Amino acid sequence: MTEPLSDPERELALSYAAAPIRPHLRTLWRLDERFGAIVAGTTETTIGEMRLLWWREAIAISDEGAKAEPLLEQVAGAIEATRSDAAEWGAMAEGWHALLQEPLEAQELDRFANERGGRLFTLSAEILSGSAEPFVTAAGRGWALADLSSRISDADARSEARAMARKMFDDAGKTRWPRSLRPLGALAMLARRDAVSRRPRRQGSPVRVARMAWHGLTGR
């Protein structure tokens, strides 16, 4: 059994997925959390880059590294079960790598959005429904930047990330999410609201939980 995610809203969103695929989806998102933890705990850029590179290479040959890192064994199992591309899972590290660059400017933010958010949502959609429409990838890019803007202290980077997120959500359009993709839709819906709100994000608040439940029922 896979461990729950550290982020309660993401864990709640994934609970809307069908039970047979939920563990594989959770493993993908736990890998994303691991990449984020590496960046958050990095005080020296070179070391952070080396750790992300190790993970990216280890995923490609995860059977050899599974004994040293339990999450790799779970990743290997999920990739095999979902017939996913291991290189695509590992490539999410490229998005997190962009955050190791200082200062954070539009080019790095765009790479983060594409390689982390766009790829994470695309892979998730493929697990959930077998394919990913362009609006899913665009929503993932916006989600990643809205999430980042709530976590960084640099005011300029935060403002730029929010502005870029709004543009990406505009590109995604307002779509009624199909039932199979509503785990992603719930997260994108909250992120879209966060990107336009001037209030601090209150993760796990009753209002947000209720809004996620409504999205789960309606797709909006």
Side-chain angles (χ1 to χ4, degrees), residues 5-170:
L5 300 174
S6 62
D7 186 295
E9 287 186 354
R10 296 176 198 170
E11 180 65 25
L12 176 58
L14 297 195
S15 72
Y16 300 149
I21 61 174
R22 198 179 304 149
H24 309 316
L25 193 62
R26 184 181 286 118
T27 295
L28 173 65
W29 283 72
R30 283 189 63 218
L31 178 62
D32 175 70
E33 285 193 340
R34 179 62 62 90
F35 290 156
I38 290 172
V39 171
T42 293
T43 56
E44 188 173 333
T45 299
T46 301
I47 294 177
E49 291 174 339
M50 290 176 62
R51 292 183 67 192
L52 288 173
L53 178 61
W54 181 89
W55 270 90
R56 184 168 185 174
E57 293 180 343
I59 289 168
I61 52 172
S62 53
D63 57 327
E64 295 184 14
K67 292 181 180 179
E69 175 50 69
L71 180 55
L72 276 176
E73 184 175 8
Q74 294 172 7
V75 167
I79 288 172
E80 181 179 4
T82 60
R83 299 181 180 180
S84 297
D85 184 344
E88 290 292 307
W89 284 52
M92 289 193 303
E94 277 298 304
W96 287 103
H97 179 271
L99 299 189
L100 295 175
Q101 314 308 307
E102 294 184 354
L104 269 182
E105 297 182 346
Q107 181 177 353
E108 285 72 34
L109 292 173
D110 190 59
R111 182 155 66 100
F112 174 75
N114 287 329
E115 302 299 330
R116 188 238 177 162
R119 199 178 296 275
L120 179 58
F121 266 50
T122 296
L123 286 168
S124 297
E126 290 172 352
I127 293 173
L128 287 164
S129 67
S131 63
E133 298 293 332
F135 81 88
V136 174
T137 303
R141 297 173 72 217
W143 168 83
L145 289 173
D147 179 63
L148 179 65
S149 72
S150 298
R151 299 176 185 272
I152 56 177
S153 58
D154 186 310
D156 290 338
R158 182 169 62 246
S159 178
E160 180 71 15
R162 285 165 59 87
M164 292 175 67
R166 290 192 293 270
K167 172 63 168 60
M168 291 169 183
F169 281 124
D170 286 343

